[in-house]
Amino acid sequence: MRRALALACTTLLASSCAAVAATSASAAPPPTPSASLPAQATAALQRHQAAVEGSPQDRYTVYSSKKDARGNGVVRYTRTHQGLRVYGGDIVVRVDARGEFTGSSSGLAAPLSLSVTPKVGAARARAAAERAFSGKVTSVGAPELFIDAGAGTPVLAWETVVKGWAKDGQTPSRLHVVTDAATNAVRGSFDEIETVDGTGNSIYSGTVHLDTTASGSGYSLVDSEHGNGRTCDLNNGTSTCTTFTDADNVWGTGTNADRASAAVDAHFGAATTFRYFREVHGRNGIFGTGAGVPSRVHYGNAYVNAFWDGSQMTYGDGSGNAKPLVALDVAGHEMSHGVTENVIPGGLTYSGESGGLNEATSDIFGSMVEFYAGTGSDPGDYDIGEKIDIRGTGAPLRYMYNPALDGVSQGCWSTSTNNVDVHYSSGVANHFFFDLAEGTGATAYGTSPVCGSADPVVGIGRDKAERIWFRALDTYFVSNTRYVNTATPGNTARAHTLAAAADLYGLCGTEYKTVQAAWTAVNVAGTDYCPTGDDFSLATSPATATIDRGQTLTTTLSTTVTNGTAETIALTATGTPPGVTVSFSPAEITAGESATVTVSTPDTLGTGSYPLTLTGTSPSVAHSTQLTLTVRSPEGCTGADDTDVAIPDNTTVTSTVAISGCTITPSSTSAVEVHIVHTYIGDLVVSLVAPDGTAYTLHSRAGGSTDNIDQTYAVNLSGEAPDGTWTLRVQDAASIDTGYINSWKLSL
């Protein structure tokens, strides 16, 4: 999507409000590298929906896919629930070179289960969005109903795009306003136009090489080496932009007296940022498609601003049209927002800790672009906005080595971090990155303190640090990744950067341990650890398995030596349901070896999900891992009906399924999955009627004014014969509200 990360007037590369939703008009995702990878990942996703908190009403669409040099694949998906877009529902599925599931990332803490019927109509949502706009409105789009799960708790909401001009009359605005579909309260907003307010002291980049295109007898600022990005002159207007041309291919004078001088900096910044991501991270430019970034200079009259609008950069000339805002770290920061929003569907949610990670990602890569460029006029450093002097004091806007120096940023995580402006919560990740790359204490770039009683950190260098951060972004982050997350502890920047470090440099190596230490140094703790004595790790492949009742399955339990020497490991299983047996072959292995795990289930085992704990015990240490067993009814023991049946007032209706050829005894936890659309479920009595006429009440006038039933009920049907006609009976016991049976499914 186009991400508007608008900025406060005293904040570099920043924006107005907190974004809580993504636009439905998404940027085109990068092309997939092969037809087989999405198919492999989708098959893995179907087998492991529990890992991404999937529900029966969820649908997934491939957003992007890529393979690394070892053939491992990463596929990103967007999610809909009951036909509605779910912001914060994006997922990542990872598979190995064989297409086997190796892991996933998801921002949801539990499967979605909520009404999708709004209590506030689109017209009221549109009016609320227009009231939330500050400036001159030129148009208001049609509100879109969606599920906003960006902040963790899913809420039905409307998103409305209001277009116009900001209060200054020169900055274009495409404001996305999110309103609660139950109360019409504004939940948040974000602007597609990413701005940076400030003033520059000079033209910044010095004498640099430019890639241009021969045009007739002269040259034009069109960069065929970097996706045909062009640089053009708005002539202090806001619309018509004329591509710069020159007779001798020598551009500008290094002073603002020559209009081409600002164009040199902008053109150089676009090419350098493109080249940085391509050569350092293997990404084909900002958008991942090879397309270049257009740069527009000399925007507006005395416009003290620059902005990214999702597709191009625009730079004003500053106060008195004398100080163009074309510094290299400004360009690198802003275009890195473009990378983030094209890697993650909708980008990192622009509020709270996720928004801080969004801003920090741009600070990190903006600084790394400076180092990569290696110009004498603007050498690399960890100061943000040091050239454009926004405050007029000569001081940078932000300090990555000690964020608290600006007086407002947080350099140490605390329980308040999620509630501060994203440009201040970014300090935690900025501080982490500096410590990871350069270490704590006195450095060539400033003195970095540790938080609390944390141990000092010895850095691993910029090259490794930037690669770890990019891999975490590219392979693990989802839209609502945070620093600390009690609901989904695995969806944190610490966990994801550790996974990236393990991928690149090995589990519990120097780089991995430095990532741990650098997060601890900014007060972001974790349960991860690296051993000091003889130790091993334990994993199952696959970690989840589906089986019919009465059947047997096998999986592989593998071990890896993580420290010291390989010891003998005894294997055991606990948490098995009655009648389930788990055996290992062999029952003892040496660390580094694998064993075959065999799980047998009885006919009487109920359908459902069972976590089995597999434990390996050596003389030095014991470790456990889970094998999640999903038990279903065998073929012939399930039935479903998705034919709509109207439920009028004060009426009883039925829907039936026929079961035949089922040879097992129904379970004591047979599953009845019911989907009823109704505006007041307190009116309803819902029962399952067995073939012999026995009725089992599932729902009896509970829930009051709650809309819709979307629930799976566990029913003890062990005393029933399986074959015959089973009936779902629904009674509407009151007036006014009506609805219909949408679908239902019985698994004996």
Side-chain angles (χ1 to χ4, degrees), residues 210-427:
L210 297 180
D211 290 299
T212 62
T213 299
S215 178
S217 59
Y219 302 87
S220 62
L221 277 187
V222 176
D223 188 349
S224 60
E225 295 297 315
H226 304 97
N228 290 315
R230 71 165 186 147
T231 302
C232 60
D233 189 348
L234 279 159
N235 293 292
N236 298 107
T238 59
S239 56
T240 303
C241 201
T242 305
T243 301
F244 279 90
T245 58
D246 188 84
D248 60 4
N249 212 19
V250 177
W251 304 83
T253 61
T255 69
N256 197 42
D258 187 332
R259 296 183 70 82
S261 296
V264 169
D265 287 84
H267 202 71
F268 175 70
T272 302
T273 305
F274 185 111
R275 195 164 56 249
Y276 166 77
F277 281 104
R278 183 179 64 189
E279 295 181 2
V280 175
H281 302 300
R283 179 174 178 79
N284 195 9
I286 305 307
F287 306 104
T289 61
V293 172
S295 300
R296 307 190 303 170
V297 298
H298 304 304
Y299 175 89
N301 182 33
Y303 186 65
V304 190
N305 216 325
F307 58 85
W308 166 261
D309 67 6
S311 62
Q312 62 188 353
M313 280 300 302
T314 300
Y315 302 92
D317 282 339
S319 179
N321 291 320
K323 300 175 181 179
L325 279 76
V326 288
L328 184 57
D329 62 349
V330 172
H333 175 110
E334 295 294 344
M335 283 181 274
S336 293
H337 278 306
V339 171
T340 299
E341 69 191 25
N342 280 276
V343 167
I344 300 173
L348 283 157
T349 302
Y350 205 64
S351 64
E353 293 181 9
S354 300
L357 286 167
N358 192 319
E359 277 298 316
T361 296
S362 283
D363 281 351
I364 289 166
F365 290 136
S367 295
M368 293 303 100
V369 166
E370 263 189 355
F371 278 107
Y372 172 81
T375 67
S377 299
D378 190 7
D381 53 48
Y382 293 91
D383 296 332
I384 306 301
E386 75 279 3
K387 286 289 186 180
I388 61 174
D389 189 19
I390 283 181
R391 298 190 177 98
T393 63
L397 180 63
R398 291 191 286 276
Y399 304 81
M400 294 179 69
Y401 60 89
N402 187 1
L405 287 178
D406 65 18
V408 286
S409 291
Q410 293 191 353
C412 302
W413 181 86
S414 73
T415 54
S416 68
T417 300
N418 195 53
N419 301 316
V420 302
D421 183 276
V422 295
H423 307 99
Y424 309 148
S425 62
S426 66

Side-chain angles (χ1 to χ4, degrees), residues 55-57 81-82 641 644 647 672-678 708-713 728 740-745:
S55 86
Q57 291 78 46
H81 179 75
Q82 298 187 62
D641 191 341
D644 292 352
I647 310 172
V672 187
E673 182 182 326
V674 178
H675 301 287
I676 295 175
V677 177
H678 197 281
N708 308 336
I709 295 176
D710 292 291
Q711 187 170 338
T712 299
Y713 302 91
L728 184 73
Y740 60 93
I741 301 174
N742 187 20
S743 64
W744 73 288
K745 179 180 179 180

Side-chain angles (χ1 to χ4, degrees), residues 421-579:
D421 183 276
V422 295
H423 307 99
Y424 309 148
S425 62
S426 66
V428 177
N430 282 345
H431 196 187
F432 156 80
F433 184 85
F434 182 89
D435 291 347
L436 179 64
E438 307 294 343
T440 57
T443 74
Y445 304 100
T447 298
S448 176
V450 298
C451 301
S453 58
D455 292 330
V457 179
V458 177
I460 58 174
R462 290 187 299 276
D463 289 348
K464 290 181 177 179
E466 65 187 341
R467 284 173 169 80
I468 288 171
W469 192 267
F470 182 81
R471 182 167 179 83
L473 174 74
D474 193 40
T475 306
Y476 293 96
F477 281 15
V478 290
S479 58
N480 55 1
T481 296
R482 296 177 55 172
Y483 296 124
V484 175
N485 194 330
T486 55
T488 53
N491 186 26
T492 63
R494 177 172 176 135
H496 293 332
T497 50
L498 282 170
D503 292 345
L504 294 170
Y505 305 110
L507 180 68
C508 287
T510 298
E511 296 81 5
Y512 186 95
K513 292 177 181 178
T514 306
V515 172
Q516 290 178 311
W519 279 119
T520 301
V522 297
N523 202 36
V524 176
T527 57
D528 45 81
Y529 85 106
C530 287
T532 55
D534 294 337
D535 209 341
F536 64 93
S537 63
L538 199 66
T540 53
S541 180
T544 62
T546 301
I547 187 173
D548 290 342
R549 287 194 287 144
Q551 300 299 307
T552 297
L553 65 80
T554 60
T555 187
T556 300
L557 180 68
S558 59
T559 63
T560 303
V561 177
T562 57
N563 204 65
T565 60
E567 295 185 308
T568 300
I569 302 169
L571 304 176
T572 57
T574 55
T576 55

